[in-house]
Amino acid sequence: MKTKITDQLREKYNKIEQDLDVHLEGLLYSKPITYWDYIQTDALLNLQITRTTLPDENVFIMYHQINELLFKMILSEIEQVAKTEDVSAVLFSSKMMRISRYFDMLTSSFSIMKDGMDVEQYNKFRTTLTPASGFQSAQYRKIEFASTELINLIDNRFRETIDRNSSYENAFEHLYWQAAGKDYKTGKKSYTLTVFEQKYKEEFIRFTKFYNTHNLWTKFKSLPQAEKENKELIKAMRHYDYTVNIKWVMAHYNTANHYLNIGGQTTEATGGSEWVKYMHPKYQKRIFFPDLWTDEELRDWGTEV
């Protein structure tokens, strides 16, 4: 057994032109792994930098950091589908359900935000967050780019008239979340949107150049007909679409409403966005996989919640 393992190790390192004996010698001086070193616990627990003395701000920060970690997990799963040639319906379904479980967790976790923070504390520390906004999550924007074709992310007001062969630059200027930070009558962008673009726009355009032809929807449509008719895969695709674009969005919307709609008066979000129309699915009708829904389902998207 030992000889077999040694031979396998030697074969592994020979493939990369490395000397196995050198690597084995290195093991003589390596430290045993511990949980805290592997997870980087100390670093992780020191990433919460509050701006106020209000204790519930810590809840807010950690909750969003957990979200970003889950977003990273989701992007990893999507990438595996995107970069697998001739992906099977079985693998596709497995990855879709794994991604959906992450989003199920994200959706249910909004109770931490909605019921787990003191409203008075939130409305005090939120003023220190201006002009930051949740729509500045670059990873969430990437999840959208990697899930569907750009046309399905265009602001609903322009989706029917925009050229489907439009340049990335032009399409970017008409994405639905631009509505959270742009006055379309004047074209003026908010500071929140401007700094977000300055940091991520070029990265987004590079990202979408790959995912324009490798997103989940395009990958699905390129499958052989028999695979596209796989009931488990269709069920998994619909579950993901509904979970992200209705359940997750509405959980976010209801949480925002809990804190920003006070006494019947709608308060402006920290980034200054018109958050009601930006977030509610019935306005933007964000749908990743439109052909998997009936005409009635498409028409009533987001209206039953």
Side-chain angles (χ1 to χ4, degrees):
M1 181 65 179
K2 289 182 180 179
T3 302
K4 183 179 180 182
I5 292 174
T6 304
D7 289 344
Q8 289 174 332
L9 285 170
R10 197 171 302 281
E11 182 182 358
K12 171 184 175 179
Y13 285 104
N14 282 342
K15 285 180 178 178
I16 56 173
E17 300 179 345
Q18 291 287 299
D19 187 338
L20 171 61
D21 291 337
V22 173
H23 286 271
L24 290 175
E25 184 179 353
L27 291 175
L28 293 173
Y29 312 105
S30 65
K31 295 179 181 179
I33 192 68
T34 62
Y35 173 83
W36 51 90
D37 285 336
Y38 183 65
I39 302 299
Q40 292 289 295
T41 309
D42 291 342
L44 190 63
L45 299 182
N46 281 283
L47 291 175
Q48 294 75 48
I49 311 300
T50 58
R51 298 172 65 88
T52 71
T53 58
L54 299 164
D56 277 3
E57 187 187 354
N58 252 321
V59 176
F60 187 83
I61 292 173
M62 285 186 280
Y63 176 78
H64 284 85
Q65 289 177 338
I66 291 168
N67 279 1
E68 291 295 335
L69 288 172
L70 283 164
F71 291 161
K72 187 173 183 179
M73 293 166 73
I74 290 164
L75 284 167
S76 174
E77 301 293 345
I78 295 176
E79 182 180 28
Q80 291 175 61
V81 175
K83 293 185 176 179
T84 299
E85 292 188 21
D86 302 321
V87 61
S88 68
V90 173
L91 176 63
F92 210 139
S93 298
S94 172
K95 293 299 183 184
M96 290 305 304
M97 290 311 299
R98 187 181 291 190
I99 294 165
S100 289
R101 283 194 291 273
Y102 296 147
F103 261 108
D104 287 338
M105 180 178 174
L106 285 163
T107 302
S108 63
S109 72
F110 262 114
S111 61
I112 294 171
M113 283 278 285
K114 184 172 179 292
D115 304 314
M117 291 193 306
D118 181 84
V119 175
E120 185 177 352
Q121 283 192 43
Y122 172 77
N123 282 302
K124 286 179 178 177
F125 74 70
R126 69 180 290 273
T127 60
T128 70
L129 307 180
T130 306
S133 171
F135 84 76
Q136 292 176 316
S137 170
Q139 287 200 114
Y140 186 69
R141 304 278 76 101
K142 285 182 174 181
I143 288 170
E144 294 180 317
F145 292 142
S147 293
T148 193
E149 296 164 347
L150 277 178
I151 190 65
N152 296 323
L153 300 175
I154 297 295
D155 188 305
N156 198 35
R157 293 171 291 181
F158 309 109
R159 204 172 295 160
E160 294 299 322
T161 57
I162 195 167
D163 181 359
R164 283 179 172 264
N165 296 315
S166 179
S167 68
Y168 292 110
E169 286 278 350
N170 187 52
F172 190 90
E173 290 297 320
H174 291 83
L175 293 172
Y176 83 91
W177 47 264
Q178 291 263 338
K182 178 193 280 186
D183 184 333
Y184 274 100
K185 292 180 180 177
T186 64
K188 182 176 175 57
K189 297 182 180 181
S190 67
Y191 174 81
T192 300
L193 179 57
T194 300
V195 294
F196 184 51
E197 288 185 351
Q198 287 172 350
K199 181 163 179 63
Y200 291 113
K201 185 174 181 179
E202 289 185 6
E203 182 180 341
F204 284 162
I205 290 174
R206 287 194 301 271
F207 187 85
T208 54
K209 283 183 179 178
F210 172 75
Y211 276 101
N212 184 50
T213 54
H214 293 80
N215 63 77
L216 293 175
W217 184 220
T218 299
K219 291 287 284 189
F220 174 83
K221 291 195 294 185
S222 69
L223 293 173
Q225 189 61 37
E227 298 282 89
K228 284 193 289 187
E229 293 174 359
N230 182 288
K231 291 183 179 179
E232 288 302 312
L233 177 54
I234 292 173
K235 180 180 178 181
M237 298 281 282
R238 281 171 56 94
H239 179 83
Y240 174 63
D241 207 351
Y242 187 85
T243 299
V244 177
N245 290 314
I246 292 186
K247 289 179 66 179
W248 151 264
V249 171
M250 284 308 301
H252 195 175
Y253 174 87
N254 289 332
T255 300
N257 194 55
H258 178 69
Y259 289 103
L260 300 179
N261 192 338
I262 302 168
Q265 297 294 316
T266 301
T267 307
E268 192 177 77
T270 53
S273 65
E274 190 180 358
W275 60 272
V276 174
K277 290 190 176 181
Y278 155 66
M279 292 177 65
H280 202 293
K282 71 180 181 182
Y283 292 110
Q284 283 295 343
K285 290 187 180 292
R286 295 185 296 279
I287 304 170
F288 291 157
F289 317 129
D291 294 353
L292 299 184
W293 302 93
T294 67
D295 290 342
E296 183 180 5
E297 288 171 328
L298 294 173
R299 187 184 65 246
D300 297 338
W301 191 263
T303 59
E304 75 277 20
V305 290

